[in-house]
Amino acid sequence: MSREVILYIAASIDGYIAEADGSIDFLGGGIEAVEEDTSYQELMKKIDTVVMGRTTYDQVVNELSSDQYPYEEQSSYIITSHPEENTEKLIFTSQTPVELIQDLKEQNGEAIWVVGGASIIAPLVEAKLIDTYILTTIPTILGKGIRLFNEFEGPVNLKFKQVYEKNDMVYTTYSNR
C-alpha cells in the first residue's frame, strides 16, 4: 500500500500562507484559543515523515522553534539547492518535490506531511501526489503575501470530506479523487 501524503497548512481568507516579507505572525490572528484543538496532535500521530522547502525549514529552526526542532521524532526531508550534511533524521536533498514524494511513497512507513512552502506544494498538487488536503482558514485578510498555491497546470478536482470550526478558524478537509 502506498503511503498517504497530507498537506496540512493554514492560510488567510484570501489564500496567503505568509506575509509579503515571509513572516507568519498573522497565523495567531489575534485569536483566543477557547476550545481545545487537537488537529495537530492527531496529524502527528499518523505521520513519520515531514517534507519541506529550505525557506520553511529555516523559518522553523530560526523563528518558530529555535529551542527544539519540533519534528525530532519524524524523518525530515528538506528540499534545497544547497544541501547540508545529513543526520539520521534530517535529510537535505536536491530532488524535485515530485521525485522525492514518488520515492517516499514507495518506501515502507506511515503518512507523509508536506509542511510547505508554495514552491514545494504546487508541483505536488499538479502531479496529483497529495492525497489529503487539510486547510485551516485564519480569519484574516492579508491583501498580499505568499500564496498557498503558485500557478500550475490545473484543474485538480478534489472530493470534500469534512469541515468544522474551532476558535474562529475553519478546518476543511478534501481528498484527491
Side-chain angles (χ1 to χ4, degrees):
M1 186 177 133
S2 182
R3 299 166 73 184
E4 180 184 18
V5 177
I6 301 168
L7 174 64
Y8 174 91
I9 198 162
S12 63
I13 289 174
D14 51 349
Y16 296 105
I17 57 173
E19 296 176 48
D21 65 1
S23 75
I24 54 172
D25 297 340
F26 81 96
L27 289 177
I31 297 164
E32 184 182 341
V34 211
E35 295 177 83
E36 183 182 14
D37 180 7
T38 58
S39 61
Y40 177 78
Q41 291 79 1
E42 289 166 25
L43 171 77
M44 296 308 280
K45 282 184 206 167
K46 56 194 253 186
I47 65 158
D48 66 358
T49 305
V50 296
V51 171
M52 67 189 86
R54 182 57 188 250
T55 303
T56 301
Y57 171 76
D58 287 343
Q59 193 168 48
V60 167
V61 297
N62 296 324
E63 296 172 42
L64 298 177
S65 188
S66 55
D67 296 340
Q68 182 179 7
Y69 186 64
Y71 314 120
E72 287 181 340
E73 302 294 316
Q74 293 78 26
S75 295
S76 294
Y77 288 82
I78 295 88
I79 299 172
T80 177
S81 55
H82 304 289
E84 292 180 17
E85 192 168 324
N86 295 335
T87 65
E88 182 185 348
K89 295 226 177 223
L90 205 56
I91 299 102
F92 293 88
T93 178
S94 57
Q95 282 183 290
T96 69
V98 170
E99 291 168 340
L100 176 61
I101 292 297
Q102 286 172 332
D103 287 351
L104 290 173
K105 281 179 81 79
E106 295 304 313
Q107 297 172 15
N108 287 331
E110 302 297 318
I112 301 161
W113 175 21
V114 177
V115 179
S119 62
I120 304 302
I121 296 168
L124 297 175
V125 172
E126 186 175 13
K128 297 180 171 73
L129 286 171
I130 296 175
D131 301 303
T132 303
Y133 294 75
I134 304 169
L135 308 177
T136 304
T137 304
I138 307 296
T140 300
I141 300 170
L142 289 177
K144 62 182 176 191
I146 298 170
R147 297 206 63 70
L148 168 57
F149 298 113
N150 286 342
E151 285 189 22
F152 62 88
E153 291 301 317
V156 173
N157 296 312
L158 304 175
K159 182 174 175 30
F160 170 78
K161 297 298 259 185
Q162 75 171 22
V163 65
Y164 67 92
E165 175 274 333
K166 272 206 172 146
N167 300 314
D168 289 339
M169 295 183 286
V170 177
Y171 297 78
T172 311
T173 304
Y174 300 92
S175 64
N176 215 344
R177 287 188 182 227

